């Protein structure tokens, strides 16, 4: 793990743990105050226990605790009356905010205190899949917006720079089971237009569990294979985005096969992303490179730094990838050369046929039917017969030379051998001015 990343993560967990402890203390004090008020009014022992109540089950550090606004206000008034410092003022988050692991007031997007929705999202952020399933079964069809991404992100809030924490193999299996029961959870969109499946792949939270990842992807029946996020990224480009954090080809190769089989676009990528083939080369994943190339990936794609596959191979340590890309570029060069040679030969042969048409359609009929003098014919056609003979000879030599292997082909030498015939073309061009006068 990157040392800087480990330090950031440790600091964040420590901060969230402190927030959780402070929030728990605030809520415990609020409950004790309520208990005293009840005892004062009724003279009976309250049903509430004097012992501190554990919040939200066994919530880990960084969890989100919800208390009602009335409880908080009552506690503030009591503390103000007793001239005691408000120990919880520094950790209360604004209305609707749940960032930083602090206390959120009722009425935010995840519901107020003790509401089914708040309990559901608390379980989702703790990745307590059994609890989530129980709450969904008990509550029936309720508003599930955002739940799919809460399961993926865990304690990470949207917009955080740190990636979500890695899921265990059991958690991935539980997520798959939940997606199979509730397909809508896999297709819910976040603010970036990404489905929960898209976020799962791009986040790289699936490290180390090839079968579980593939099964989870297959369970996302609510997500079309053609899905793109708000920036044009596909499921395949998201997978390779996550692969840059994991770097294990054995994990993603079965999923790449699955996406190729279901015709996920191979060459499309989002803004700031490189094509999947280029990422596979950079990450030195030979199996993925071969599969993508065989399935139609564009070997001429370029990175944001204007590098192509051949440029990336300069620093690639995989001989299999380097040889494969080198062979493709060599085949492409040979094919381009063949096209150039074929065009040169065909152009000369077409020129020969054109000259032959001039002679057959114009020169001979004008000579036999119109009985024009040889001087007049020379003015009109000059040395066209000589040009035809030279063109036929050049075309024949070029055609013969083009049939030789690429390494033995010497087209330039053929043109050098025929350079002596250039005088015939000069003579024809000089006669054009005279021919134009005769025509008029």
């Amino acid at each position: 793990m990157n040392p800087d990343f480990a330090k950031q993560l440790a600091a964040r967990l420590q901060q969230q743990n402190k927030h959780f402890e402070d929030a728990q203390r605030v809520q415990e004090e609020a409950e004790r105050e309520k208990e005293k008020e009840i005892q004062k009014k009724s003279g009976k022992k309250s049903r509430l226990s004097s012992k501190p109540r554990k919040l939200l089950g066994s919530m880990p550090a960084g969890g989100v605790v919800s208390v009602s606004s009335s409880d908080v206000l009552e506690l503030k008034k009591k503390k103000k009356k007793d001239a005691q410092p408000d120990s919880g003022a520094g950790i209360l988050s604004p209305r609707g905010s749940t960032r930083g692991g602090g206390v959120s007031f009722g009425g935010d997007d995840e519901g107020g205190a003790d509401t089914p929705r708040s309990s559901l999202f608390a379980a989702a952020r703790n990745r307590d899949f059994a609890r989530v399933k129980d709450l969904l079964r008990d509550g029936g069809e309720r508003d599930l917006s955002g739940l799919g991404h809460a399961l993926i992100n865990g304690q990470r809030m949207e917009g955080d720079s740190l990636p979500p924490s890695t899921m265990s193999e059991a958690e991935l299996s539980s997520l798959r089971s939940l997606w199979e029961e509730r397909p809508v959870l896999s297709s819910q969109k976040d603010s970036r237009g990404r489905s929960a499946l898209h976020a799962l792949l791009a986040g790289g939270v699936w490290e180390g569990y090839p079968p579980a990842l593939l099964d989870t992807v297959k369970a996302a029946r609510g997500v079309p294979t053609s899905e793109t996020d708000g920036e044009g990224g596909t499921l395949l480009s998201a997978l390779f985005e996550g692969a840059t954090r994991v770097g294990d080809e054995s994990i993603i190769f079965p999923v790449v096969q699955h996406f190729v089989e279901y015709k996920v676009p191979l060459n499309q990528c989002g803004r700031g992303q490189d094509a999947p083939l280029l990422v596979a080369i950079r990450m030195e994943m030979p199996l993925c490179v071969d599969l993508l190339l065989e399935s139609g990936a564009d070997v001429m794609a370029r990175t944001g730094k204007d590098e192509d596959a051949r440029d990336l191979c300069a620093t690639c340590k995989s001989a299999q990838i380097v040889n494969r890309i080198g062979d493709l570029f060599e085949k492409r060069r040979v094919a381009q050369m063949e096209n150039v040679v074929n065009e040169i030969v065909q152009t000369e042969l077409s020129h020969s046929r054109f000259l032959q048409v001039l002679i057959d359609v114009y020169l001979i009929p004008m000579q036999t039917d119109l009985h024009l003098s040889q001087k007049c014919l020379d003015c009109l056609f000059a040395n066209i017969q000589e040009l035809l003979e030279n063109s036929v000879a050049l075309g024949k030599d070029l055609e013969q030379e083009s049939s030789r292997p690429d390494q033995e082909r010497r087209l330039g030498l053929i043109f050098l051998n025929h350079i002596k015939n250039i005088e015939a073309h000069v003579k024809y061009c000089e006669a054009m001015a005279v021919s134009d006068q005769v025509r008029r």
Side-chain angles (χ1 to χ4, degrees):
M1 180 181 290
N2 189 301
D4 294 336
F5 174 80
K7 290 179 181 178
Q8 292 178 13
L9 186 59
R12 180 175 176 79
L13 289 176
Q14 185 177 4
Q15 181 183 15
Q16 289 188 344
N17 186 44
K18 182 179 181 303
H19 285 170
F20 173 73
E21 292 173 353
D22 292 343
Q24 187 174 10
R25 185 166 55 254
V26 170
Q27 188 162 346
E28 289 170 358
E29 291 178 8
E31 290 179 356
R32 285 196 291 272
E33 293 296 334
K34 287 177 70 175
E35 183 181 8
K36 289 178 182 179
E37 291 294 330
I38 292 173
Q39 289 176 349
K40 230 184 251 185
K41 291 179 181 178
S42 62
K44 297 179 182 180
K45 187 175 180 180
S46 170
R47 289 177 299 171
L48 296 174
S49 171
S50 60
K51 294 181 180 180
R53 181 168 65 89
K54 196 171 185 181
L55 300 179
L56 298 181
S58 54
M59 181 181 291
V64 177
V65 183
S66 293
V67 298
S68 66
S69 55
S70 60
D71 289 342
V72 176
L73 291 174
E74 185 178 352
L75 177 61
K76 281 188 174 182
K77 288 178 182 178
K78 179 66 177 174
K79 289 191 173 186
K80 185 175 181 181
K81 182 178 178 182
D82 297 339
Q84 294 177 354
D86 187 354
S87 61
I91 60 170
L92 294 176
S93 300
R95 180 179 181 85
S97 172
T98 56
R99 295 177 62 82
V103 180
S104 62
F105 293 102
D108 64 3
D109 290 341
E110 295 181 8
D114 300 326
T115 65
R117 184 169 170 81
S118 66
S119 300
L120 181 63
F121 271 77
R125 294 203 179 281
N126 291 328
R127 290 179 178 162
D128 187 348
F129 291 93
R131 176 69 172 155
V132 170
K133 286 185 178 182
D134 289 342
L135 289 170
L136 288 175
R137 277 194 290 267
D138 294 343
E141 295 293 338
R142 59 162 61 86
D143 179 16
L144 303 180
S145 58
L147 182 61
H149 284 273
L151 291 164
I152 303 300
N153 290 327
Q155 300 298 335
R156 174 187 179 273
M157 299 300 175
E158 186 175 343
D160 284 355
S161 58
L162 297 176
S165 58
T166 302
M167 283 187 173
S168 67
E169 187 170 9
E171 286 175 332
L172 271 177
S173 298
S174 298
L175 180 65
R176 171 186 57 76
S177 176
L178 191 58
W179 281 1
E180 288 174 345
E181 294 179 14
R182 305 273 180 150
V184 68
L185 296 180
S186 65
S187 59
Q188 288 179 341
K189 303 278 187 177
D190 64 5
S191 61
R192 294 176 57 186
R194 303 186 309 173
S195 67
L197 173 61
H198 204 120
L200 171 72
L201 297 174
V205 301
W206 32 264
E207 181 175 359
Y209 313 108
L213 176 62
L214 179 59
D215 292 341
T216 306
V217 170
K218 289 181 177 179
R221 298 190 301 272
V223 182
T225 56
S226 59
E227 184 204 62
T228 57
D229 62 15
E231 298 178 345
T234 66
L235 293 175
L236 187 61
S237 64
L239 175 66
F240 277 96
E241 180 182 347
T244 60
R245 299 187 176 97
V246 179
D248 191 340
E249 183 175 33
S250 65
I251 302 175
I252 72 166
F253 181 69
V255 185
V256 175
Q257 286 180 309
H258 176 73
F259 284 158
V260 168
E261 180 182 353
Y262 282 86
K263 309 300 181 185
V264 174
L266 300 180
N267 300 311
Q268 184 177 344
C269 54
R271 185 172 54 192
Q273 293 179 327
D274 291 330
L277 173 63
L278 299 179
V279 178
I281 294 174
R282 187 184 294 115
M283 298 295 296
E284 299 183 0
M285 299 179 172
L287 296 178
C288 291
V289 169
D290 287 343
L291 177 59
L292 290 171
L293 288 173
E294 291 169 2
S295 303
D298 183 13
V299 73
M300 300 307 295
R302 306 188 78 85
T303 68
K305 297 180 179 179
D306 201 32
E307 298 172 314
D308 61 16
R310 186 168 45 185
D311 296 327
L312 296 177
C313 284
T315 56
C316 181
K317 298 178 181 179
S318 171
Q320 182 178 341
I321 293 178
V322 173
N323 293 337
R324 179 68 188 272
I325 298 299
D327 290 344
L328 282 176
F329 271 84
E330 178 61 19
K331 289 179 181 178
R332 185 178 178 85
R333 185 196 68 79
V334 171
Q336 289 176 333
M337 181 61 69
E338 288 293 334
N339 290 336
V340 171
V341 170
N342 184 62
E343 183 177 356
I344 291 174
V345 173
Q346 293 303 319
T347 299
E348 193 59 40
L349 294 178
S350 297
H351 181 58
S352 299
R353 288 194 295 271
F354 176 72
L355 292 175
Q356 187 64 58
V357 168
L358 285 177
I359 292 173
D360 294 342
V361 176
Y362 294 99
L363 175 59
I364 294 177
M366 292 176 73
Q367 186 177 27
T368 56
D369 298 343
L370 299 180
H371 304 289
L372 295 179
S373 64
Q374 187 61 42
K375 182 178 179 180
C376 186
L377 291 174
D378 289 343
C379 289
L380 291 174
F381 297 98
N383 58 336
I384 192 172
Q385 190 68 46
E386 184 181 8
L387 293 182
L388 174 61
E389 294 172 0
N390 291 342
S391 179
V392 169
L394 177 59
K396 183 178 179 180
D397 290 347
L398 287 174
E399 200 170 17
Q400 182 177 356
E401 189 68 18
S402 66
S403 63
R404 296 165 64 87
D406 177 59
Q407 301 300 327
E408 301 176 10
R409 198 180 289 157
R410 297 292 183 271
L411 292 182
L413 186 60
I414 300 298
F415 282 104
L416 286 175
N417 292 337
H418 284 263
I419 194 67
K420 60 182 182 293
N421 299 325
I422 194 68
E423 289 299 325
H425 292 274
V426 173
K427 183 178 178 181
Y428 181 84
C429 292
E430 289 175 344
M432 289 181 65
V434 179
S435 174
D436 189 55
Q437 292 177 359
V438 173
R439 181 179 63 82
R440 292 178 180 177

